[in-house]
Amino acid sequence: MTIQIKSPEDIEKMRIAGRLAAEVLDFITPHVKPGVSTEALDRLCHDFMVKVQKAVPAPLNYAPPGYQPYPKSICTSINHQVCHGIPGEKQLKHGDIVNIDITVIKDGYHGDTSRMFCVGEPSIQARRLCEITYECMWLGIETVKAGAHLGDIGAAIQKHAESHGYSVVREFCGHGIGRKFHEEPQVLHYGRPGTGITLQSGMIFTIEPMINAGKPAIRELSDGWTIVTKDHSLSAQWEHTVLVTDTGHQVLTLSAGAPARPAPAS
Ligand code: MF3
Ligand code: CO
Ligand code: CO
C-alpha cells in the first residue's frame, strides 16, 4: 500500500513500454475511419503488439476484483461512452469521437496511453470537448514535479474543465503503474491545490482525465465494463504515463505521431 519509487533500471524499462504503447496508437491512426468496426481495430492492434512489438496487450483477460475478465486487447469508447468500451461489430460512423486506450506489457513493465480520434468531421462541440480535454491532461501533467502535491494535478484539470462548462468524472482516476497495471497512488482528476501526498522523484503514474460535456454522473453497462454518461452527453479522455523528476516530469508515452503539447495559454 505504499507508492513505489522506481529505480533507474525500472525507469528504462518503463520508457520502452511507454513508447511502445504510444506507437500502437500511431499504428492504428490511419485505420480509424468511417465503416471500420472497433473489433477490426482491436485485431489490428492485438496483432501489432504481439507480432511486431513482441509485447503483451495488458487488457486481455485483465480481471481486477469484482470484474469479469476483460475480453479484448484494447478499449474503444465512442461518443457518450466514458471508458472501458469493449470492441465489437459496431462500425465507426462519420461524426463519431472515439477514445482508443492502449496498455502494453514489455519485459514485465506496463505503458498506458490513450488518445481521442475524430471520425470524419464531428460537430464543433465534439471537437471542442476533445481539445479542452487534451488541454486538461496537459495542464495536469505540467503541475508534476518533486515537491508538488497530488491534488495540484486534479485541481488544474478540474479548473480548466469546469471553466468551459464541462464536468470531471469522479469514479475513475489515474494510477501508479509499473510491473502492475494499476498501482498506488490514485490520481484524482479533481481536487484542491496543496492537498494529497507529496510527489517524489521516481514515481510513475498515469494522468487520464475523463471529461463530460454534460453532468458528471456515469453508469456501467450490463457487459460489466463499458462506462457511459448517465445523461448521454459526450465524453472525452486522453492519457499519458508520467515520470516525476526533481526538476519536473518526463512523459513516457510519447511517439513520432503523438499530437503536440498545446501552446501555453497567453
Ligand atoms: N487502460 C485503462 C486505464 O487507463 C484500463 C483498462 S482496464 C481494461 O487504466 F481491462 F478495460 F482494459
Ligand atoms: Co490508465
Ligand atoms: Co489506459
Side-chain angles (χ1 to χ4, degrees):
M1 60 155 268
T2 53
I3 303 169
Q4 233 196 320
I5 301 300
K6 267 69 178 179
S7 69
E9 295 73 27
D10 292 330
I11 291 168
E12 281 323 299
K13 291 183 171 170
M14 288 297 287
R15 280 187 206 292
I16 293 168
R19 181 175 42 78
L20 291 176
E23 286 174 354
V24 178
L25 289 171
D26 293 356
F27 160 76
I28 203 62
T29 299
H31 298 278
V32 185
K33 291 191 302 213
V36 73
S37 69
T38 49
E39 214 159 53
L41 298 175
D42 176 74
R43 171 51 58 100
L44 285 163
C45 289
H46 176 93
D47 288 350
F48 185 76
M49 290 184 260
V50 172
K51 295 185 181 157
V52 179
Q53 297 185 327
K54 316 279 184 219
V56 174
L60 189 59
N61 298 315
Y62 183 60
Y67 285 83
Q68 295 282 104
Y70 187 80
K72 296 286 182 183
S73 297
I74 68 172
C75 297
T76 51
S77 305
I78 307 168
N79 296 335
H80 71 294
Q81 296 180 345
V82 174
C83 63
H84 305 165
I86 301 175
E89 289 169 19
K90 203 174 134 137
Q91 296 178 359
L92 297 179
K93 58 178 197 306
H94 182 88
D96 284 343
I97 56 170
V98 58
N99 174 275
I100 301 182
D101 193 339
I102 301 292
T103 311
V104 305
I105 311 171
K106 181 71 172 182
D107 208 2
Y109 290 81
H110 291 73
D112 190 7
T113 184
S114 80
R115 296 180 196 156
M116 292 303 295
F117 295 84
C118 288
V119 182
E121 217 168 291
S123 67
I124 288 173
Q125 295 94 305
R127 280 181 284 152
R128 185 88 179 129
L129 176 66
C130 295
E131 257 172 49
I132 298 297
T133 303
Y134 187 63
E135 293 171 6
C136 284
M137 174 186 68
W138 275 105
L139 286 166
I141 291 170
E142 278 157 7
T143 68
V144 173
K145 61 166 190 269
H149 291 260
L150 210 49
D152 300 345
I153 300 170
I157 292 169
Q158 180 179 15
K159 183 175 164 207
H160 195 57
E162 292 179 355
S163 78
H164 289 272
Y166 299 148
S167 60
V168 177
V169 172
R170 309 293 165 126
E171 290 84 347
F172 296 89
C173 51
H175 49 92
I177 183 167
R179 286 190 169 275
K180 289 204 276 181
F181 195 160
H182 295 101
E183 303 181 349
E184 287 194 58
Q186 293 197 26
V187 181
L188 303 185
H189 302 117
Y190 60 93
R192 293 200 325 278
T195 63
I197 59 134
T198 303
L199 302 183
Q200 289 175 48
S201 180
M203 290 178 176
I204 297 180
F205 49 76
T206 71
I207 298 180
E208 49 180 299
M210 284 142 275
I211 305 296
N212 298 347
K215 296 205 170 75
I218 54 141
R219 87 191 161 79
E220 188 182 285
L221 297 189
S222 58
D223 63 19
W225 279 100
T226 309
I227 304 298
V228 299
T229 56
K230 232 180 201 167
D231 63 8
H232 275 71
S233 64
L234 290 176
S235 187
Q237 178 178 32
W238 294 80
E239 176 175 23
H240 270 315
T241 298
V242 179
L243 165 70
V244 183
T245 67
D246 285 326
T247 50
H249 54 266
Q250 287 171 18
V251 176
L252 302 184
T253 36
L254 293 173
S255 60
R261 200 186 256 256
S266 51

